[in-house]
Amino acid sequence: VHHGDTLIGLAASGPHSNGYSLIRKILEVSNTDPTTTLLEGKPLADWLMAPTRIYVKSILRLIRAVEVRAVAHITGGGLTENVPRVLPNGSKAVIDVSSWQQGPVFDWLMQHGNVAQQEMYRTFNCGIGMIVCVPENDAQNALSMLEDMGETAFIIGSIEKSTANAEPFVEFTGL
């Protein structure tokens, strides 16, 4: 991973398999009927129980075609904890959260659970299930390839220099 690399986010199908202790608590405290309809006419239960999207075929094809410098699966720990695992010391991932829509299920969880935005990024994927780091000059080609493979993908940020030898972290912009 190098400073200047581009981060591409692949859309999640829902919460995947993370954050369900908090989800159950929000359902209990809000006393919400899981058949409640959210945006797009879909019941809350359908959003919560959507099968976890599996990215392996798309990622393997992408790796064969462009230089993929890192891949971060956004699981438990959300965006905040998973992305730094693939970064070298002295770098940060700058992620523009306005570059995608987190989706109605995450909006609902945030509102009905009174969950702060930073906690959402630490607990959930917030609509991004996988992040791929590629050289900046490969970003558009990688994005096009992913979309051709049926992925919904977005350029969501870049890698920048931080304090020398400091632990890597994520900086969110576009809030």
Side-chain angles (χ1 to χ4, degrees):
V1 174
H2 303 286
H3 302 139
D5 284 352
T6 298
L7 298 173
I8 299 173
L10 282 68
S13 54
H16 290 178
S17 57
N18 303 106
Y20 277 88
S21 294
L22 180 55
I23 291 170
R24 282 191 300 277
K25 186 69 172 171
I26 293 169
L27 285 168
E28 178 186 320
V29 170
S30 68
N31 199 29
T32 301
D33 180 347
T35 63
T36 300
T37 300
L38 297 186
L39 290 178
E40 301 176 22
K42 208 167 153 183
L44 175 60
D46 288 358
W47 287 101
L48 294 173
M49 301 306 293
T52 298
R53 183 147 182 81
I54 306 297
Y55 305 94
V56 68
K57 289 181 182 178
S58 298
I59 296 298
L60 288 173
R61 286 178 59 194
L62 185 67
I63 287 170
R64 287 188 213 107
V66 300
E67 182 180 359
V68 172
R69 293 196 169 148
V71 177
H73 187 204
I74 311 306
T75 60
L79 295 162
T80 306
E81 295 178 14
N82 287 287
V83 176
R85 293 178 184 152
V86 301
L87 303 179
N89 284 345
S91 64
K92 63 182 176 179
V94 179
I95 296 179
D96 179 1
V97 297
S98 69
S99 61
W100 80 93
Q101 295 292 313
Q102 72 176 2
V105 69
F106 298 106
D107 294 337
W108 185 90
L109 289 165
M110 191 170 152
Q111 178 185 7
H112 287 81
N114 195 27
V115 182
Q117 189 66 65
Q118 290 298 328
E119 182 64 17
M120 291 292 294
Y121 295 140
R122 193 186 70 74
T123 305
F124 299 108
N125 65 48
C126 292
I128 298 293
M130 181 77 68
I131 294 178
V132 181
C133 178
V134 298
E136 182 179 20
N137 61 343
D138 284 337
Q140 287 301 322
N141 184 32
L143 187 65
S144 294
M145 287 183 63
L146 288 164
E147 289 172 350
D148 288 347
M149 289 184 265
E151 299 293 346
T152 302
F154 317 90
I155 292 180
I156 64 167
S158 62
I159 304 300
E160 294 183 10
K161 187 175 183 175
S162 71
T163 307
N165 294 320
E167 291 288 320
F169 64 96
V170 176
E171 178 181 299
F172 295 105
T173 65
L175 299 170

